[in-house]
Amino acid sequence: MQAEVYIAKYTKAEHRLRATGNGCYPPVHEMVEPDSSGWIAPMVRRRLDRLSRIGLTLALQCLEGIERVDAVITATSYGYLAETIRFGRDVLERDERLVSPTPFMQSTFNTLGGQIAVSRQLSCYNNTHVQGVYSFALALQEAYVLLQDAEYESVLVGAFDELTPYSEAAMHSRGVGAKYGLGEGVAFFVLSTNPKDAKAQLEDVYMGCGATGVEAELVSAGSYQSECGEYGTAQAYGLVYALDHLHGSGDVRVIRASAGDTVTEIAVRGV
């Protein structure tokens, strides 16, 4: 018999609109950096880049009051673009000689997962999914599978992506963001087998051609991307959007994202 999986807590980054340099495109949805002073020590905060400060703050906020964490699973479409570009630029400008290792250490896809583990002194399972628009759905799917094992009771799942001037120009050149504007975002969720104080139940995570067939109100990409913009793991924002409208209703929502012929759908039921 499969264990039921619930969403106990969630957090997300807030957004504000910023005009683009290209008048042909809608404004960009950029993240508003939360106050991290109560969550990250000053010495640590000074060494972190913007995405890490936002991600770590929201992850720690989501874990507040959660004593047991059995796994940390993060998802990203592009990872730490700003730090990757910074490291590459330093290598070129210094003629491939000695450069600061900090941008390199902060540019790997699993950087945020490691920072969460260090901050909470966790030695549990830790994994990062990097599969474009499918990343978040696959992270949720893995968390669901882990929670079928009696050894797992609580899993932190998060998604993060950032915009840089370079990625903004590259995406605009491919026509991305023409409808809702480009975006970026961070969101975290605590998944648990304990139904107490749960916000919703995770019904299904589907990936394939066509739809799941679950009879529910569809939360299309347009429903939530009008608030957060277009980016790889925007489906995580879509889940927050659905949860905000579900709590206590008992209704089911299906959050959809797609790329080409492949569709990913996340079905959740309010409790």
Side-chain angles (χ1 to χ4, degrees):
M1 182 177 177
Q2 285 192 331
E4 293 181 338
V5 175
Y6 300 90
I7 298 174
K9 294 184 67 179
Y10 59 94
T11 56
K12 70 170 176 64
E14 300 297 329
H15 292 81
R16 65 186 169 208
L17 293 175
R18 171 176 57 80
T20 65
N22 186 337
C24 299
Y25 285 87
V28 167
H29 301 255
E30 66 178 12
M31 290 186 287
V32 177
E33 186 170 340
D35 181 9
S36 59
S37 59
W39 303 95
I40 307 174
M43 289 285 289
V44 175
R45 193 167 62 247
R46 280 197 292 269
R47 295 196 299 269
L48 298 181
D49 65 295
R50 171 177 172 266
L51 182 58
S52 290
R53 290 193 303 270
I54 296 173
L56 185 55
T57 299
L58 292 176
L60 295 177
Q61 287 177 353
C62 197
L63 288 173
E64 186 180 21
I66 305 295
E67 295 183 4
R68 175 171 175 174
V69 182
D70 298 307
V72 175
I73 304 175
T74 53
T76 183
S77 184
Y78 299 112
Y80 279 76
L81 287 174
E83 290 300 291
T84 301
I85 292 168
R86 178 184 166 194
F87 178 73
R89 186 176 61 241
D90 286 351
V91 170
L92 291 174
E93 290 178 353
R94 295 171 184 267
D95 197 24
E96 300 185 11
R97 292 186 170 85
L98 288 176
V99 298
S100 170
T102 303
F104 174 76
M105 292 186 294
Q106 293 188 351
S107 67
T108 59
F109 293 117
N110 60 352
T111 293
L112 184 54
Q115 290 167 343
I116 295 167
V118 171
S119 296
R120 282 293 299 256
Q121 298 182 341
L122 302 174
S123 57
C124 59
Y125 178 82
N126 198 314
N127 190 28
T128 299
H129 285 267
V130 189
Q131 294 97 2
V133 298
Y134 316 120
S135 302
F136 180 64
L138 288 169
L140 275 182
Q141 203 169 60
E142 182 180 24
Y144 185 92
V145 171
L146 288 177
L147 288 166
Q148 300 309 306
D149 189 324
E151 292 185 4
Y152 291 84
E153 293 182 7
S154 181
V155 176
L156 178 70
V157 179
F160 63 94
D161 273 303
E162 67 176 339
L163 264 179
T164 71
Y166 297 97
S167 64
E168 192 174 322
M171 288 189 221
H172 277 160
S173 70
R174 302 197 329 256
V176 179
K179 193 168 186 180
Y180 302 108
L182 291 176
E184 57 181 0
V186 174
F188 277 93
F189 309 82
V190 174
L191 271 60
S192 172
T193 53
N194 185 355
K196 184 180 179 182
D197 299 325
K199 308 299 183 185
Q201 181 179 348
L202 181 62
E203 292 269 300
D204 188 25
V205 181
Y206 166 84
M207 181 180 298
C209 296
T212 59
V214 174
E215 293 186 6
E217 181 178 330
L218 176 67
V219 180
S220 64
S223 300
Y224 55 87
Q225 286 183 342
S226 60
E227 293 187 5
C228 68
E230 300 175 41
Y231 62 97
T233 53
Q235 194 174 20
Y237 187 98
L239 178 54
V240 171
Y241 177 92
L243 292 172
D244 284 343
H245 293 83
L246 265 180
H247 187 46
S249 68
D251 296 334
V252 179
R253 297 286 190 277
V254 172
I255 303 95
R256 176 178 292 173
S258 62
D261 296 328
T262 304
V263 173
T264 65
E265 292 186 340
I266 301 164
V268 290
R269 180 186 299 275
V271 296

mmCIF file of all heavy atoms in Angstrom, residues 245-271:
data_model
loop_
_atom_site.group_PDB
_atom_site.id
_atom_site.type_symbol
_atom_site.label_atom_id
_atom_site.label_comp_id
_atom_site.label_asym_id
_atom_site.label_seq_id
_atom_site.Cartn_x
_atom_site.Cartn_y
_atom_site.Cartn_z
ATOM 1 N N HIS A 245 -4.773 28.775 -3.332
ATOM 2 C CA HIS A 245 -6.204 28.772 -3.625
ATOM 3 C C HIS A 245 -6.898 27.484 -3.184
ATOM 4 O O HIS A 245 -8.123 27.361 -3.315
ATOM 5 C CB HIS A 245 -6.425 28.958 -5.135
ATOM 6 C CG HIS A 245 -6.019 30.301 -5.645
ATOM 7 N ND1 HIS A 245 -4.706 30.605 -5.973
ATOM 8 C CD2 HIS A 245 -6.730 31.431 -5.871
ATOM 9 C CE1 HIS A 245 -4.642 31.864 -6.385
ATOM 10 N NE2 HIS A 245 -5.842 32.384 -6.332
ATOM 11 N N LEU A 246 -6.121 26.520 -2.667
ATOM 12 C CA LEU A 246 -6.668 25.202 -2.352
ATOM 13 C C LEU A 246 -6.954 24.957 -0.880
ATOM 14 O O LEU A 246 -7.841 24.171 -0.549
ATOM 15 C CB LEU A 246 -5.682 24.119 -2.805
ATOM 16 C CG LEU A 246 -5.897 23.488 -4.171
ATOM 17 C CD1 LEU A 246 -4.824 22.441 -4.418
ATOM 18 C CD2 LEU A 246 -7.277 22.859 -4.284
ATOM 19 N N HIS A 247 -6.203 25.565 -0.002
ATOM 20 C CA HIS A 247 -6.180 25.163 1.412
ATOM 21 C C HIS A 247 -7.593 25.021 1.991
ATOM 22 O O HIS A 247 -8.373 25.969 2.004
ATOM 23 C CB HIS A 247 -5.378 26.169 2.231
ATOM 24 C CG HIS A 247 -5.157 25.737 3.653
ATOM 25 N ND1 HIS A 247 -4.748 24.477 3.988
ATOM 26 C CD2 HIS A 247 -5.313 26.393 4.822
ATOM 27 C CE1 HIS A 247 -4.646 24.373 5.301
ATOM 28 N NE2 HIS A 247 -4.990 25.532 5.826
ATOM 29 N N GLY A 248 -7.899 23.807 2.448
ATOM 30 C CA GLY A 248 -9.170 23.536 3.103
ATOM 31 C C GLY A 248 -10.334 23.281 2.168
ATOM 32 O O GLY A 248 -11.450 23.006 2.612
ATOM 33 N N SER A 249 -10.120 23.310 0.850
ATOM 34 C CA SER A 249 -11.230 23.200 -0.094
ATOM 35 C C SER A 249 -11.582 21.755 -0.435
ATOM 36 O O SER A 249 -12.737 21.455 -0.744
ATOM 37 C CB SER A 249 -10.891 23.947 -1.392
ATOM 38 O OG SER A 249 -9.843 23.287 -2.074
ATOM 39 N N GLY A 250 -10.587 20.863 -0.434
ATOM 40 C CA GLY A 250 -10.818 19.486 -0.848
ATOM 41 C C GLY A 250 -10.819 19.314 -2.354
ATOM 42 O O GLY A 250 -10.969 18.202 -2.863
ATOM 43 N N ASP A 251 -10.653 20.410 -3.096
ATOM 44 C CA ASP A 251 -10.621 20.344 -4.559
ATOM 45 C C ASP A 251 -9.251 19.871 -5.042
ATOM 46 O O ASP A 251 -8.274 19.861 -4.299
ATOM 47 C CB ASP A 251 -10.916 21.719 -5.161
ATOM 48 C CG ASP A 251 -12.318 22.199 -4.824
ATOM 49 O OD1 ASP A 251 -13.186 21.342 -4.588
ATOM 50 O OD2 ASP A 251 -12.521 23.434 -4.795
ATOM 51 N N VAL A 252 -9.200 19.495 -6.312
ATOM 52 C CA VAL A 252 -7.946 19.053 -6.932
ATOM 53 C C VAL A 252 -7.546 20.061 -8.002
ATOM 54 O O VAL A 252 -8.393 20.554 -8.758
ATOM 55 C CB VAL A 252 -8.085 17.646 -7.560
ATOM 56 C CG1 VAL A 252 -6.779 17.221 -8.231
ATOM 57 C CG2 VAL A 252 -8.487 16.622 -6.502
ATOM 58 N N ARG A 253 -6.257 20.389 -8.066
ATOM 59 C CA ARG A 253 -5.717 21.244 -9.118
ATOM 60 C C ARG A 253 -4.569 20.505 -9.809
ATOM 61 O O ARG A 253 -3.805 19.791 -9.162
ATOM 62 C CB ARG A 253 -5.182 22.560 -8.551
ATOM 63 C CG ARG A 253 -6.229 23.437 -7.890
ATOM 64 C CD ARG A 253 -7.150 24.110 -8.897
ATOM 65 N NE ARG A 253 -7.984 25.119 -8.250
ATOM 66 C CZ ARG A 253 -9.117 24.851 -7.618
ATOM 67 N NH1 ARG A 253 -9.556 23.612 -7.539
ATOM 68 N NH2 ARG A 253 -9.817 25.831 -7.058
ATOM 69 N N VAL A 254 -4.470 20.702 -11.098
ATOM 70 C CA VAL A 254 -3.376 20.123 -11.878
ATOM 71 C C VAL A 254 -2.554 21.265 -12.451
ATOM 72 O O VAL A 254 -3.081 22.112 -13.195
ATOM 73 C CB VAL A 254 -3.901 19.228 -13.024
ATOM 74 C CG1 VAL A 254 -2.751 18.802 -13.929
ATOM 75 C CG2 VAL A 254 -4.588 17.988 -12.450
ATOM 76 N N ILE A 255 -1.255 21.324 -12.081
ATOM 77 C CA ILE A 255 -0.361 22.385 -12.547
ATOM 78 C C ILE A 255 0.425 21.854 -13.726
ATOM 79 O O ILE A 255 1.172 20.878 -13.597
ATOM 80 C CB ILE A 255 0.595 22.848 -11.422
ATOM 81 C CG1 ILE A 255 -0.205 23.310 -10.198
ATOM 82 C CG2 ILE A 255 1.485 23.979 -11.912
ATOM 83 C CD1 ILE A 255 -0.393 22.242 -9.145
ATOM 84 N N ARG A 256 0.277 22.491 -14.860
ATOM 85 C CA ARG A 256 0.862 21.962 -16.095
ATOM 86 C C ARG A 256 2.025 22.823 -16.572
ATOM 87 O O ARG A 256 2.005 24.044 -16.477
ATOM 88 C CB ARG A 256 -0.194 21.886 -17.200
ATOM 89 C CG ARG A 256 0.344 21.432 -18.557
ATOM 90 C CD ARG A 256 -0.765 21.339 -19.585
ATOM 91 N NE ARG A 256 -1.679 20.258 -19.268
ATOM 92 C CZ ARG A 256 -2.823 20.037 -19.940
ATOM 93 N NH1 ARG A 256 -3.167 20.845 -20.932
ATOM 94 N NH2 ARG A 256 -3.594 19.025 -19.595
ATOM 95 N N ALA A 257 3.041 22.149 -17.100
ATOM 96 C CA ALA A 257 4.144 22.794 -17.819
ATOM 97 C C ALA A 257 4.462 21.905 -19.009
ATOM 98 O O ALA A 257 4.230 20.694 -18.971
ATOM 99 C CB ALA A 257 5.368 22.964 -16.929
ATOM 100 N N SER A 258 5.003 22.477 -20.054
ATOM 101 C CA SER A 258 5.281 21.675 -21.240
ATOM 102 C C SER A 258 6.488 22.212 -21.981
ATOM 103 O O SER A 258 6.846 23.382 -21.871
ATOM 104 C CB SER A 258 4.067 21.641 -22.177
ATOM 105 O OG SER A 258 3.745 22.942 -22.630
ATOM 106 N N ALA A 259 7.114 21.306 -22.741
ATOM 107 C CA ALA A 259 8.221 21.665 -23.623
ATOM 108 C C ALA A 259 8.140 20.735 -24.829
ATOM 109 O O ALA A 259 8.269 19.516 -24.680
ATOM 110 C CB ALA A 259 9.565 21.514 -22.920
ATOM 111 N N GLY A 260 7.873 21.299 -25.983
ATOM 112 C CA GLY A 260 7.680 20.459 -27.156
ATOM 113 C C GLY A 260 6.429 19.607 -26.992
ATOM 114 O O GLY A 260 5.365 20.097 -26.611
ATOM 115 N N ASP A 261 6.570 18.310 -27.228
ATOM 116 C CA ASP A 261 5.440 17.391 -27.112
ATOM 117 C C ASP A 261 5.304 16.800 -25.716
ATOM 118 O O ASP A 261 4.352 16.064 -25.446
ATOM 119 C CB ASP A 261 5.588 16.239 -28.120
ATOM 120 C CG ASP A 261 5.543 16.729 -29.564
ATOM 121 O OD1 ASP A 261 4.829 17.733 -29.810
ATOM 122 O OD2 ASP A 261 6.208 16.126 -30.424
ATOM 123 N N THR A 262 6.257 17.099 -24.839
ATOM 124 C CA THR A 262 6.244 16.506 -23.503
ATOM 125 C C THR A 262 5.552 17.427 -22.506
ATOM 126 O O THR A 262 5.830 18.616 -22.456
ATOM 127 C CB THR A 262 7.674 16.207 -23.013
ATOM 128 O OG1 THR A 262 8.322 15.364 -23.973
ATOM 129 C CG2 THR A 262 7.655 15.488 -21.666
ATOM 130 N N VAL A 263 4.662 16.837 -21.711
ATOM 131 C CA VAL A 263 3.894 17.580 -20.710
ATOM 132 C C VAL A 263 4.238 17.057 -19.325
ATOM 133 O O VAL A 263 4.387 15.852 -19.124
ATOM 134 C CB VAL A 263 2.375 17.415 -20.957
ATOM 135 C CG1 VAL A 263 1.565 18.034 -19.818
ATOM 136 C CG2 VAL A 263 1.979 18.042 -22.277
ATOM 137 N N THR A 264 4.405 17.952 -18.361
ATOM 138 C CA THR A 264 4.527 17.548 -16.963
ATOM 139 C C THR A 264 3.347 18.141 -16.207
ATOM 140 O O THR A 264 3.005 19.306 -16.386
ATOM 141 C CB THR A 264 5.841 18.030 -16.312
ATOM 142 O OG1 THR A 264 5.841 19.459 -16.259
ATOM 143 C CG2 THR A 264 7.050 17.550 -17.077
ATOM 144 N N GLU A 265 2.720 17.308 -15.372
ATOM 145 C CA GLU A 265 1.573 17.751 -14.604
ATOM 146 C C GLU A 265 1.719 17.308 -13.145
ATOM 147 O O GLU A 265 2.114 16.174 -12.875
ATOM 148 C CB GLU A 265 0.273 17.190 -15.181
ATOM 149 C CG GLU A 265 -0.073 17.769 -16.538
ATOM 150 C CD GLU A 265 -1.427 17.327 -17.042
ATOM 151 O OE1 GLU A 265 -1.945 16.304 -16.556
ATOM 152 O OE2 GLU A 265 -1.971 18.008 -17.938
ATOM 153 N N ILE A 266 1.393 18.211 -12.247
ATOM 154 C CA ILE A 266 1.436 17.944 -10.803
ATOM 155 C C ILE A 266 0.010 18.106 -10.285
ATOM 156 O O ILE A 266 -0.591 19.175 -10.434
ATOM 157 C CB ILE A 266 2.378 18.914 -10.075
ATOM 158 C CG1 ILE A 266 3.804 18.807 -10.621
ATOM 159 C CG2 ILE A 266 2.372 18.654 -8.576
ATOM 160 C CD1 ILE A 266 4.698 19.966 -10.242
ATOM 161 N N ALA A 267 -0.533 17.039 -9.710
ATOM 162 C CA ALA A 267 -1.900 17.078 -9.182
ATOM 163 C C ALA A 267 -1.863 17.126 -7.659
ATOM 164 O O ALA A 267 -1.206 16.308 -7.022
ATOM 165 C CB ALA A 267 -2.686 15.844 -9.642
ATOM 166 N N VAL A 268 -2.555 18.118 -7.080
ATOM 167 C CA VAL A 268 -2.616 18.267 -5.638
ATOM 168 C C VAL A 268 -4.069 18.441 -5.194
ATOM 169 O O VAL A 268 -4.881 19.015 -5.924
ATOM 170 C CB VAL A 268 -1.782 19.469 -5.131
ATOM 171 C CG1 VAL A 268 -0.292 19.198 -5.278
ATOM 172 C CG2 VAL A 268 -2.159 20.745 -5.877
ATOM 173 N N ARG A 269 -4.364 17.936 -4.001
ATOM 174 C CA ARG A 269 -5.717 18.049 -3.446
ATOM 175 C C ARG A 269 -5.660 18.841 -2.141
ATOM 176 O O ARG A 269 -4.847 18.567 -1.259
ATOM 177 C CB ARG A 269 -6.297 16.655 -3.162
ATOM 178 C CG ARG A 269 -7.730 16.687 -2.572
ATOM 179 C CD ARG A 269 -8.184 15.291 -2.166
ATOM 180 N NE ARG A 269 -8.204 14.396 -3.308
ATOM 181 C CZ ARG A 269 -9.231 14.295 -4.156
ATOM 182 N NH1 ARG A 269 -10.320 15.045 -3.957
ATOM 183 N NH2 ARG A 269 -9.194 13.450 -5.162
ATOM 184 N N GLY A 270 -6.523 19.812 -2.004
ATOM 185 C CA GLY A 270 -6.585 20.589 -0.775
ATOM 186 C C GLY A 270 -7.104 19.749 0.383
ATOM 187 O O GLY A 270 -7.962 18.884 0.192
ATOM 188 N N VAL A 271 -6.578 19.987 1.565
ATOM 189 C CA VAL A 271 -7.028 19.229 2.753
ATOM 190 C C VAL A 271 -7.426 20.199 3.867
ATOM 191 O O VAL A 271 -7.088 21.357 3.836
ATOM 192 C CB VAL A 271 -5.936 18.259 3.251
ATOM 193 C CG1 VAL A 271 -5.642 17.203 2.222
ATOM 194 C CG2 VAL A 271 -4.643 19.015 3.601
#
